[in-house]
Amino acid sequence: MSPDGITLAHGIGGAKDLPISPELAIAGASAALVVSFTVLAVAWRTPRYDAATSGRPAPALVRRLVDSAGWRVGCRVLGFVVFLYAAMAAVLGKDLVINPIFGIFYVWWWVGLVPLSVLLGPVWKAISPVRTINLAFAKVSGSDPDRGLLAYPDRLGYWPAAVGLFAFVWMELVYPFSTELGPVRLWCAAYVAVMLVGGALFGSTFYERADPFEVYSTLVSHLSVWGRRGDLLVVRSPLANLDTTPARPGLVAVVAVLFGSTAFDSFKDSTRWLSFVQSTDTSSYLLNNLALLAFCVGVGLVFVAGCVLTGLGDDLRRRELPNRLAHSVVPIIVGYIIAHYLRYLVEVGQLTLVQASDPFSDGSNYLGTANLDPIYWLAYHPTFLANLKVLAVVAGHVLGVIAAHDRAIRLLPPRHQLTGQLPLLFAMVAFTVGGLYLLFAA
């Protein structure tokens, strides 16, 4: 536990943060989904989103700035400076929980990527230090950083990224020594090594499809207002931008890991699970491993079942549907991340900034932030926090229903456009009920 009493393990603060009726919240959220679907069925009869035509050009000044070499170089320099500073704390800092590398690793990198990507677009692609290193190697060798020695196999899609994301959440949520310096160093070193080798072999395509953090950031950034139509920077509605998400193999696995791991993070702190773990002779480490895997696989299976249990036309194969509809889970993921990690991000994120000024834990104040006092406003306004969490979950599901509906009426034949969506609606209601139950149970 940190000096300010905040643990580095993810959590939402438990039921004390939610002084509202769970039954009312769950019933209201489920009703909101059903009502939303009914309204869409009546008023939304034709597809409204088209990646080839949606969006208007961003203001000329913004386009010139974002597309300029100076902007790109500035982003690369910023990302690499933060990377070097974090590496310095990891390699030369003390093996104490107040070492800022833990907050940088678990809070800024993992949770902080979500709001940054929603607000600014694919942030990790712009600042990724492994892309910067790969670019430097290419400049020295005279090669093209976008082209590797081999072509990236299309059948792999996002599967390597899903594996990398699972490796991170396993480290964060299950591994018993996750707040020791050695394992964090090893994880980061392995990540950098794999990314550099992959970039050398497959070029930039490897980062777009196999870097877990770039895939994570880019996927969430499809809910921002910033997008691309070809090389043109455009401004779109978030749902129109979401419709541009590429439907590649492994996309369902990525969203299942992101959603399932967040649900497991709530579940592992519930009284029922803790009582079960303490009442059995089976290793808690083994049980948590199995539970994390079960949550991720379970989310994927429920979603796949909701997609494939529908009638199709002759021009679409059933097994293609889950990846074509998986973009609709992204708003749900963002909603649950806000609900689950908001207080954690605000409070521990501030504490990390304080600790970052003293990377060697020797009383230094290199950044001038060591004497800042974190603001715990959310902790003192539990009703506001509770309402915000429930609102985030409900809004995420409603946006997911809209995204799925628009895609379904484009893909499904007329006779199945409404009835064919019912299995997926049931799956989303199940996600809503289960997610809110775990939010209150933690």
Side-chain angles (χ1 to χ4, degrees):
M1 180 166 296
S2 72
D4 291 76
I6 304 173
T7 63
L8 280 171
H10 278 179
I12 59 172
K16 64 179 179 296
D17 281 343
L18 300 169
I20 56 179
S21 167
E23 293 82 6
L24 181 61
I26 292 172
S30 301
L33 291 190
V34 175
V35 170
S36 299
F37 176 76
T38 304
V39 172
L40 291 171
V42 173
W44 198 308
R45 300 291 186 90
T46 58
R48 301 189 181 186
Y49 303 130
D50 181 9
T53 60
S54 65
R56 64 182 185 275
L61 180 62
V62 176
R63 293 203 309 273
R64 287 197 295 269
L65 174 64
V66 173
D67 292 335
S68 67
W71 177 265
R72 292 194 296 270
V73 171
C75 289
R76 293 261 163 253
V77 170
L78 173 63
F80 204 70
V81 167
V82 175
F83 167 71
L84 291 178
Y85 197 86
M88 179 180 68
V91 174
L92 303 177
K94 298 177 181 178
D95 191 1
L96 300 172
V97 75
I98 58 173
N99 188 319
I101 188 59
F102 296 111
I104 295 171
F105 186 63
Y106 291 119
V107 186
W108 288 4
W109 197 14
W110 179 245
V111 186
L113 266 183
V114 174
L116 286 177
S117 299
V118 170
L119 291 173
L120 303 176
V123 170
W124 190 247
K125 182 177 181 178
I127 68 173
S128 168
V130 289
R131 272 187 177 264
T132 302
I133 296 172
N134 184 59
L135 177 62
F137 284 160
K139 292 290 186 182
V140 171
S141 63
S143 59
D144 184 353
D146 293 329
R147 301 187 61 177
L149 301 175
L150 304 170
Y152 185 85
D154 288 338
R155 67 181 182 277
L156 283 182
Y158 295 124
W159 281 105
V163 173
L165 289 168
F166 188 86
F168 182 91
V169 297
W170 171 83
M171 174 79 172
E172 175 199 24
L173 302 176
V174 174
Y175 187 60
F177 306 108
S178 60
T179 53
E180 291 187 6
L181 197 53
V184 172
R185 285 173 180 162
L186 180 60
W187 200 101
C188 293
Y191 164 78
V192 171
V194 171
M195 291 301 106
L196 292 181
V197 171
L201 290 176
F202 302 110
S204 296
T205 304
F206 182 82
Y207 298 118
E208 293 172 0
R209 304 184 191 179
D211 182 343
F213 294 96
E214 182 163 326
V215 170
Y216 177 36
S217 172
T218 303
L219 188 62
V220 171
S221 76
H222 285 293
L223 274 179
S224 75
V225 299
W226 307 104
R228 292 277 180 178
R229 192 168 64 230
D231 293 329
L232 178 65
L233 180 68
V234 297
V235 179
R236 295 188 179 106
S237 74
L239 283 172
N241 214 14
L242 183 63
D243 189 66
T244 67
T245 305
R248 296 193 175 99
L251 182 57
V252 171
V254 168
V255 298
V257 170
L258 291 173
F259 188 15
S261 62
T262 306
F264 170 74
D265 199 2
S266 288
F267 176 72
K268 74 182 180 66
D269 293 326
S270 66
T271 302
R272 181 169 298 181
W273 178 248
L274 292 175
S275 299
F276 170 74
V277 169
Q278 294 169 2
S279 66
T280 180
D281 294 331
T282 307
S283 165
S284 61
Y285 176 61
L286 174 61
L287 290 173
N288 281 323
N289 271 283
L290 294 175
L292 174 61
L293 182 62
F295 267 82
C296 294
V297 173
V299 165
L301 290 177
V302 169
F303 180 77
V304 168
C307 293
V308 301
L309 294 177
T310 183
L312 300 177
D314 297 331
D315 59 341
L316 184 66
R317 290 180 291 182
R318 195 176 298 274
R319 62 189 177 92
E320 295 177 354
L321 271 179
N323 284 324
R324 299 284 291 273
L325 293 168
H327 72 298
S328 64
V329 185
V330 176
I332 300 173
I333 292 170
V334 173
Y336 275 112
I337 288 175
I338 292 172
H340 191 77
Y341 297 135
L342 176 61
R343 182 182 164 193
Y344 176 80
L345 173 62
V346 171
E347 296 181 355
V348 185
Q350 293 177 83
L351 184 60
T352 301
L353 181 61
V354 172
Q355 295 168 343
S357 200
D358 184 15
F360 309 124
S361 305
D362 59 3
S364 301
N365 189 10
Y366 296 120
L367 304 180
T369 60
N371 297 320
L372 295 179
D373 293 323
I375 299 171
Y376 300 116
W377 187 88
L378 288 174
Y380 297 115
H381 295 80
T383 301
F384 170 82
L385 182 59
N387 290 327
L388 185 60
K389 289 179 177 185
V390 174
L391 179 62
V393 171
V394 175
H397 278 87
V398 170
L399 291 176
V401 167
I402 296 173
H405 176 77
D406 187 80
R407 181 66 58 86
I409 57 179
R410 183 188 306 162
L411 295 177
L412 303 181
R415 65 184 183 277
H416 295 303
Q417 285 183 350
L418 293 182
T419 58
Q421 295 182 61
L422 291 178
L424 184 55
L425 176 64
F426 294 150
M428 289 193 171
V429 171
F431 288 156
T432 303
V433 173
L436 285 175
Y437 172 79
L438 291 174
L439 193 67
F440 281 92

